[in-house]
Amino acid sequence: GAGVSQSPSNKVTEKGKDVELRCDPISGHTALYWYRQSLGQGLEFLIYFQGNSAPDKSGLPSDRFSAERTGGSVSTLTIQRTQQEDSAVYLCASSSWTSRGQPQHFGDGTRLSIL
Amino acid sequence: GEDVEQSLFLSVREGDSSVINCTYTDSSSTYLYWYKQEPGAGLQLLTYIFSNMDMKQDQRLTVLLNKKDKHLSLRIADTQTGDSAIYFCAEGGGGNKLTFGTGTQLKVEL
């Protein structure tokens, strides 16, 4: 597609449920990133994929968070046993990885609300 | 560790220039970016500059980089009401993740 696509755009769920967030990067972009934006913490890096592997998972806040990427394209971020502090906007970005510094292009995010 | 700071608010009159400032701490930063975020939307890439450059101009946008002081600024000429948004600076150096500032809310008044 023309840009990074994320779904759903909004998700409301009860505490303790599992959620899956999807990201479809720009076609041909080999690098994919997940960030979280919340009022108290600003924009935080979660995880980075190059192809299907994740060289940097350092931002995942707990073992309840996991992500995978298949076929070098779509990625899903899964949050298990959601807590209220997981409420945030989850942003996905992609970039072409021909050299360092390629800019990251963001989707519109998934707004997650935990009741 | 890396830290990026911005002032929280800026208010300007339509037609004036806006200058949004940013300081960063990571001396290994190789690229610095400016993103714009409108309500309910993701981050829109505005421009970026390589750390060996002092200035970059792109239409109404001018980026100035003082590497010695680790200071980055974004100047928007002839600011319009459509420029009202939150502006984030970000640095990318060690590794591939971006470290973002807190964001500056720009309000353009008539």
Side-chain angles (χ1 to χ4, degrees):
Chain A
V4 177
S5 177
Q6 292 188 246
S7 60
S9 54
N10 287 281
K11 176 75 176 176
V12 181
T13 193
E14 293 179 347
K15 178 182 167 181
K17 301 284 190 186
D18 296 352
V19 294
E20 271 192 5
L21 312 180
R22 177 187 166 109
C23 173
D24 207 335
I26 292 171
S27 179
H29 279 191
T30 58
L32 186 148
Y33 309 80
W34 284 98
Y35 294 85
R36 178 168 74 171
Q37 186 176 26
S38 56
L39 279 176
Q41 302 297 322
L43 271 155
E44 305 170 280
F45 166 81
L46 297 178
I47 187 170
Y48 150 66
F49 287 91
Q50 179 60 29
N52 292 335
S53 63
D56 189 350
K57 309 178 184 180
S58 62
L60 293 177
S62 75
D63 58 9
R64 295 186 296 105
F65 288 72
S66 63
E68 65 173 13
R69 189 178 185 196
T70 54
S73 182
V74 171
S75 175
T76 54
L77 177 69
T78 301
I79 310 173
Q80 295 178 308
R81 304 180 304 281
T82 51
Q83 303 294 312
Q84 286 186 330
E85 62 262 26
D86 300 334
S87 295
V89 177
Y90 289 82
L91 292 164
C92 176
S94 69
S95 71
S96 61
W97 190 244
T98 55
S99 63
R100 196 179 193 128
Q102 287 297 312
Q104 297 177 24
H105 299 271
F106 284 78
D108 283 340
T110 294
R111 185 174 299 275
L112 177 63
S113 300
I114 310 298
L115 302 178
Chain B
E2 304 128 351
D3 193 20
V4 180
E5 295 191 357
Q6 300 177 239
S7 53
L8 291 179
F9 299 102
L10 176 65
S11 180
V12 299
R13 285 183 174 269
E14 188 178 41
D16 287 351
S17 292
S18 308
V19 179
I20 302 171
N21 294 300
C22 171
T23 58
Y24 60 98
T25 58
D26 187 354
S27 58
S28 70
S29 295
T30 50
Y31 284 89
L32 295 133
Y33 304 84
W34 284 104
Y35 285 88
K36 175 184 179 183
Q37 187 175 39
E38 296 181 87
L43 301 175
Q44 174 194 350
L45 176 69
L46 289 177
T47 187
Y48 61 106
I49 188 168
F50 186 46
S51 60
N52 69 352
M53 297 169 65
D54 298 325
M55 185 183 89
K56 181 178 180 181
Q57 186 151 6
D58 185 359
Q59 300 183 333
R60 292 191 297 124
L61 305 179
T62 303
V63 178
L64 295 177
L65 175 61
N66 181 328
K67 193 173 180 183
K68 175 176 168 289
D69 294 337
K70 299 191 183 71
H71 182 266
L72 182 73
S73 67
L74 174 70
R75 178 177 180 269
I76 307 172
D78 186 25
T79 313
Q80 303 297 307
T81 54
D83 295 324
S84 293
I86 301 176
Y87 291 80
F88 291 92
C89 77
E91 61 92 16
N96 301 298
K97 63 184 180 184
L98 295 179
T99 300
F100 287 88
T102 51
T104 299
Q105 175 135 26
L106 174 64
K107 181 178 177 183
V108 182
E109 298 175 326
L110 296 172

